[in-house]
Structures are given as structure tokens and as C-alpha cells.
Amino acid sequence: MKERLVAELERLRAQGLRRVRATRSERSFPAIELDGRRLVNFAANDYLGLAGDARVAEALAAGARRWGAGAGAAHLLSGHTRAHAEFEEALADFLGCEAALLFSTGYMANLGAVGALVDRTGSVVEDKLNHASLIDAAILSRARLLRYAHADVLAAGQRLEQAAGTTLLVTDGVFSMDGDLAPLADLASLAARHAAVFMVDDAHGFGVLGTGGRGSLEHCGLGPGSVPVHVVTLGKALGVFGAAVAGERALIDTLIQRARPWIYTTALPPALAAALTAALGLVRDEAWRRERVHAHVARFRAACLDAGLELMDSQTPIQPVLVGESERALAVSARLRERGFYVPAIRPPTVPQGSARLRITLSAAHETEQVDALVSALAESLETDA
């Protein structure tokens, strides 16, 4: 086995596809220390700068002092605490839903929701660029998986016509590698016409988009009733950890009965739930964080345009710069690191062959001067490698 694994790892290295972890040695953001060098981090999903907020950290510490380090059991045994319940109630109120269910990760939330709602007799219709967890969820449910061309409403409708049994229409709200938004309003109408259950994973929109931070749905003018299954992750804009599914009480009660990744997992530490409640309050009360990150997005895009740099069509904090081949993406990333910026290369299989990119993510924690300096370094690095 060792010889086979080593040979495969060498093949990945030769193709510029081997993944290597970067270990940071301090908590500060956006400046981080990697391998003894201080860099400005443009590779985090901490869109609102809450991961290092002292109030969130204190809520976590207070939660640990009250509840201890872990839940000690699954939710259905003795692991469900008042801290979990308070966050679920606060999140449901924030989103305007009847109820919410807290999961340990977004991956588990998607596996749990899809697996609880369809089986081998049903169908799942998905955007081809959906997150891996959504694709895996459909496969593991054993339902028929039908994928449509990215953000193509007409193609989605054609797939829905081919579907049979209980059918889910599933999409990301914001696509994690391209940064663009799904046509949610059109997809919601399409799902209604075909009597399909519409599910949106709003991992990268929740907390960031919409006038109140309620995400892609609010941004597109959709109320909670338009999207029966609403998934949000809590380690990005909220800066903590976990995920949740929100919707009607009947949906949440069904997940409690049938969502295996929730039923058979030790509950999220109650201290994290306490930190999540504090972070959600800041998302609600401090709109300046959203305003600041969107100002950075506008400034970054305008500066790139002035510098002659081509960007993908994204108005979100995810700003990918398409490079092409994996080797070039690695080289440009290395040049940026030499200039003091951490922007790792994203390569296949995460993105399609020939579409390796630099996935730049902006945060309210960044300074305007850092955004400007990144654009200058990016232009120089791309020109040097051309």
C-alpha cells in the first residue's frame, strides 16, 4: 500500500496538484505568520472579521466556564443544552423561520438534510458547480442525481422534467469558487411550478448579503417561505463554527427523526453555541461590517480594472482571478507570498481542469491600504509570470 500511495502522491506533485497545509502560529487577522513570515491573509472566509472579536471570544470562554469543553453526548441523549436551544431560537428569529437545527459542520448539514428528505425513489437536481457536500449528499441519499449547467434556469427546468418521485432542487446561494450568485428568484419559481422542494446552501451569503445580513435570499428579495430548506454555515461570516438548517417546524422535526449526521454525532460544544449567539447579535447590530467589506469589494474591482486585470463576475467578497494552469497559479501565489500576501492557488479537482485560480477573499478586518497593496502586488506577480 505504501508504494502505491507514494507513487500517487508523486504524480500529484509532478502535476502541481498536491495539497500542502500551511500552519499559522498566531491568531491575529488579517496579518498572519506562516513558516516564520508575516503575511496579509486574503484566503480566509472571516468576511465580517468576527473570528477574532473579543466579545465573541469572551462568550466562548464564559460558555466553557459554564458548560465545560464538550457536550458529552449526542443531542438526543443528554448533549442538547440550553446554549444550543438559545442559538437555534435566535437564528430562527433572525431568519424569519419557525425553527432551526444546529449541526456540527456545513458538510453534515447538507448530508443530513438531503438524506432525510429523499431516498432511492426520489431525485435531486443540482447546479454543476454546487459544493462537494451537496453532490455527496445526493449520491449518499441514493436518489437519482440530475445536474444542470451552472446557473442555467432553462437547463434546471429540463432536468426537473426528467425527475421522478420526491424531488429536491438544490443550489448554492453564492458559489464558493466563482463568487457569483445563483438565480434564486427564478429557481424558486421553477421549483414551485414543478412541485419540487427548493434547498439553498447559503454558506457564503449568510451574514454578508442582504440589507440585514440574512444572506442571498434577502439579497434576491425572497422570503423564508420561498426556500423551504435553508442551510447556513457559521464558521464564515459569524467567525465561529458549525452550521444550521432553518425552515418550518415540520422540517426541523423531520430532521430530528431522520438526519443521521445529526442523530449519530456528539453535539457541538455548548461553549461554541454561546459564542454563536454572541456573533449573531453582532451581525444583526453592526451593519458597518457588511458595508465595509462591500466597500473593499468595490475598491478591489475598480483597482483591478484600472490595472488591466481580468476578474470573474462576482460582487461578493469572493474575488477569483482566473490563471489557467496549475503550475502558473502556484507560481503567482508564490510571488505574492514574496511580496507579503497569502493567496493560495486553487487547483483541480476543486475547480475544473484549466481553470486554476487565485481565490482572493476580502474581509471587514482588512484595511483599505492592504487592499490597494494587494492589487499592485497581483499586477506585478501576474506580469512577471506572463
Side-chain angles (χ1 to χ4, degrees):
M1 182 183 72
K2 179 180 176 180
E3 292 180 358
R4 175 167 50 84
L5 295 178
V6 169
E8 173 63 13
L9 289 170
E10 176 57 27
R11 183 187 67 81
L12 291 173
R13 186 202 63 76
Q15 295 178 348
L17 299 178
R18 182 169 178 174
R19 296 180 170 111
V20 179
R21 294 182 295 179
T23 303
R24 60 188 177 101
S25 55
E26 58 182 31
R27 73 170 188 170
S28 61
F29 182 80
I32 60 173
E33 186 174 305
L34 292 176
D35 301 324
R37 180 164 187 173
R38 198 165 179 81
L39 306 169
V40 182
N41 186 9
F42 282 96
N45 294 327
D46 184 20
Y47 301 126
L48 301 183
L50 290 175
D53 189 278
R55 294 162 294 181
V56 178
E58 176 51 35
L60 176 65
R65 287 192 294 270
R66 177 181 179 185
W67 297 103
H75 283 278
L76 289 177
L77 296 176
S78 60
H80 191 66
T81 68
R82 189 61 216 159
H84 297 106
E86 286 175 356
F87 175 72
E88 290 175 344
E89 292 162 6
L91 179 63
D93 179 71
F94 180 72
L95 293 175
C97 298
E98 290 181 0
L101 190 66
L102 184 58
F103 283 77
S104 295
T105 67
Y107 218 108
M108 293 169 68
N110 284 333
L111 264 61
V114 173
L117 296 175
V118 293
D119 57 22
R120 65 173 74 246
T121 67
S123 304
V124 182
V125 177
E126 297 203 22
D127 190 296
K128 282 192 173 182
L129 295 190
N130 272 356
H131 190 266
S133 61
L134 293 172
I135 303 300
D136 289 355
I139 293 171
L140 291 173
S141 75
R142 296 174 293 180
R144 183 185 182 193
L145 174 58
L146 300 164
R147 301 173 71 182
Y148 60 90
H150 177 52
D152 188 330
V153 177
L154 179 60
Q158 292 170 342
R159 289 302 196 186
L160 285 170
E161 291 174 357
Q162 299 168 2
T166 300
T167 299
L168 295 182
L169 174 60
V170 183
T171 184
D172 280 314
V174 175
F175 292 90
S176 61
M177 290 299 117
D178 288 20
D180 57 335
L181 278 85
L184 294 181
D186 290 339
L187 290 174
S189 298
L190 189 67
R193 289 200 302 272
H194 289 269
V197 178
F198 191 29
M199 174 176 168
V200 175
D201 177 359
D202 203 24
H204 296 275
F206 173 66
V208 180
L209 299 179
T211 56
R214 292 170 183 82
S216 301
L217 278 62
E218 184 179 44
H219 178 81
C220 294
L222 294 175
S226 302
V227 182
V229 187
H230 186 187
V231 179
V232 297
T233 57
L234 312 170
K236 299 177 175 65
L238 263 64
V240 187
F241 190 72
V245 180
E248 294 182 342
R249 172 61 63 184
L251 167 69
I252 302 308
D253 286 346
T254 297
L255 296 182
I256 290 172
Q257 314 309 312
R258 300 186 60 186
R260 292 165 67 89
W262 183 86
I263 296 169
Y264 299 109
T265 299
T266 297
L268 195 75
L272 287 175
L276 286 168
T277 301
L280 184 62
L282 297 176
V283 169
R284 181 185 61 240
D285 297 338
E286 298 185 352
W288 65 264
R289 294 177 180 274
R290 287 185 295 280
E291 295 166 2
R292 181 175 172 86
V293 71
H294 288 299
H296 285 338
V297 170
R299 188 179 186 91
F300 175 81
R301 293 187 66 84
C304 285
L305 181 63
D306 290 342
L309 301 179
E310 185 175 349
L311 297 174
M312 299 179 72
D313 184 20
S314 168
Q315 300 301 319
T316 71
I318 301 170
Q319 292 293 316
V321 178
L322 193 63
V323 175
E325 296 306 316
S326 297
E327 292 80 2
R328 185 176 182 228
L330 288 169
V332 176
S333 175
R335 293 186 186 281
L336 284 172
R337 185 180 288 215
E338 292 170 2
R339 291 166 168 80
F341 300 96
Y342 182 58
V343 184
I346 305 297
R347 297 156 289 159
T350 303
V351 294
Q353 290 289 341
S355 69
R357 66 199 61 185
L358 303 171
R359 181 183 179 271
I360 294 165
T361 51
L362 298 164
S363 168
H366 287 121
E367 299 294 336
T368 299
E369 295 77 12
Q370 292 171 330
V371 176
D372 292 342
L374 171 66
V375 176
S376 297
L378 183 60
E380 293 169 4
S381 300
L382 287 167
E383 182 177 356
T384 299
D385 193 72

